[in-house]
Amino acid sequence: MKIAGIQKLTLLDFPGLMAATIFTNGCNFMCPFCHNSALVIDSSLNELLNEKYIFEFLESRKGKLDGICISGGEPLLQEDLIEFIKKVKEMGYKVKLDTNGYLFPKLKEIIDSKLIDYVAMDVKNSLDKYPLTCGLTSLLTDNILKSIEYLKENHVDYEFRTTIVKELHDFNDIKEIGKLLKGAKRYYLQQFEDSQHNIKKGYSSHDKETLINYKNYLNSINIYTEIRGI
């Protein structure tokens, strides 16, 4: 697997568990507000971590860590992702997958394999603004919709989440996202942060009051919603 980085301890990424997070190299989106630009732009230049190093680290943390988060980039681009996850599961760890949901057949295959314990899917925006938010000129959203609906069927524990950017998201977008996520068990609004490593400059965050208004609206239509980052 093409692994470009590791966070050796996180108390936030895997709900309720102490975990490590690995970051896979490469992405099929170019979200302009993305804070992991090094994993997206000229990703072929990144120095990669050896899988042996990752497994030796996990071996040394048995009994201390509960799980591993596989993030990116977009992990579903990795051809040997399933084999990697099998090895992690054999070590006794729980596995969380972060994904943009665009590669639905691969996502379904992994969920159906019963190898992962939790999926966090980024819902980038209302469907009309998906290409803009993903940094692409055009984008077919059929697979996005399939991934959303499949997760809502509760084949695996999951959450949906959206990084809220002032220049990209308004209340109308939130209403449209609400329609997409009707019946979802868990949704998080994530406050945008300028990390100085974003793909493009010029983006900012909504104020706290606006995010709370978005949250209250979504809860009013029976989508359990919380805010991260404020």
Side-chain angles (χ1 to χ4, degrees):
M1 253 214 339
K2 296 178 180 178
I3 301 170
I6 182 172
Q7 181 180 354
K8 293 185 176 181
L9 177 63
T10 174
L11 303 178
L12 301 175
D13 289 349
F14 203 145
L17 301 181
M18 294 180 65
T21 299
I22 62 169
F23 300 91
T24 61
N25 205 42
C27 192
N28 49 354
F29 287 175
M30 190 74 69
C31 305
F33 57 91
C34 177
H35 65 278
N36 283 336
S37 59
L39 301 177
V40 180
I41 300 174
D42 295 329
S43 60
S44 62
L45 302 178
N46 289 332
E47 184 176 347
L48 302 180
L49 299 176
N50 193 298
E51 276 191 21
K52 181 181 177 182
Y53 168 78
I54 300 297
F55 289 121
E56 287 177 348
F57 166 76
L58 292 176
E59 184 68 31
S60 72
R61 293 299 187 273
K62 281 185 176 180
K64 299 176 183 177
L65 294 179
D66 306 304
I68 182 170
C69 307
I70 304 177
S71 191
E74 173 50 56
L76 292 178
L77 291 172
Q78 304 296 320
E79 294 182 359
D80 51 351
L81 177 61
I82 289 180
E83 292 306 312
F84 179 86
I85 293 174
K86 284 180 180 178
K87 293 177 184 177
V88 172
K89 294 292 288 185
E90 287 170 0
M91 299 177 77
Y93 287 101
K94 293 185 179 295
V95 176
K96 171 178 174 273
L97 175 73
D98 293 346
T99 181
N100 59 37
Y102 191 66
L103 300 175
F104 170 69
K106 187 72 173 288
L107 176 61
K108 183 178 184 299
E109 178 186 6
I110 290 180
I111 292 174
D112 291 350
S113 74
K114 307 298 183 184
L115 288 171
I116 54 175
D117 302 280
Y118 196 93
V119 173
M121 178 179 164
D122 292 309
V123 177
K124 298 295 183 178
N125 210 331
S126 57
L127 293 183
D128 286 347
K129 290 170 73 171
Y130 239 84
L132 172 68
T133 311
C134 296
L136 304 174
T137 55
S138 63
L139 180 72
L140 296 175
T141 55
D142 289 357
N143 275 359
I144 299 293
L145 293 171
K146 288 177 182 178
S147 292
I148 289 173
E149 291 305 314
Y150 199 69
L151 286 171
K152 288 197 296 185
E153 292 173 3
N154 287 304
H155 301 279
V156 67
D157 201 9
Y158 71 92
E159 69 180 54
F160 296 112
R161 60 193 189 182
T162 302
T163 298
I164 302 296
V165 183
K166 186 176 182 179
E167 290 76 16
L168 294 172
H169 301 91
D170 58 29
F171 184 57
N172 286 330
D173 298 313
I174 297 301
K175 289 194 291 185
E176 291 302 313
I177 292 171
K179 293 175 184 177
L180 294 176
L181 300 187
K182 183 178 180 181
K185 63 159 49 171
R186 194 180 294 123
Y187 180 46
Y188 293 96
L189 303 175
Q190 300 182 154
Q191 176 78 293
F192 167 76
E193 293 185 11
D194 187 350
S195 70
Q196 304 302 314
H197 299 290
N198 305 89
I199 289 179
K200 289 186 178 181
K201 304 297 182 183
Y203 291 97
S204 59
S205 58
H206 279 296
D207 56 39
K208 180 178 179 180
E209 182 181 0
T210 298
L211 284 179
I212 291 174
N213 287 338
Y214 290 171
K215 171 192 168 182
N216 290 342
Y217 167 75
L218 291 161
N219 280 316
S220 76
I221 60 171
N222 297 317
I223 298 174
Y224 174 78
T225 306
E226 294 290 348
I227 301 173
R228 289 177 174 149
I230 63 170

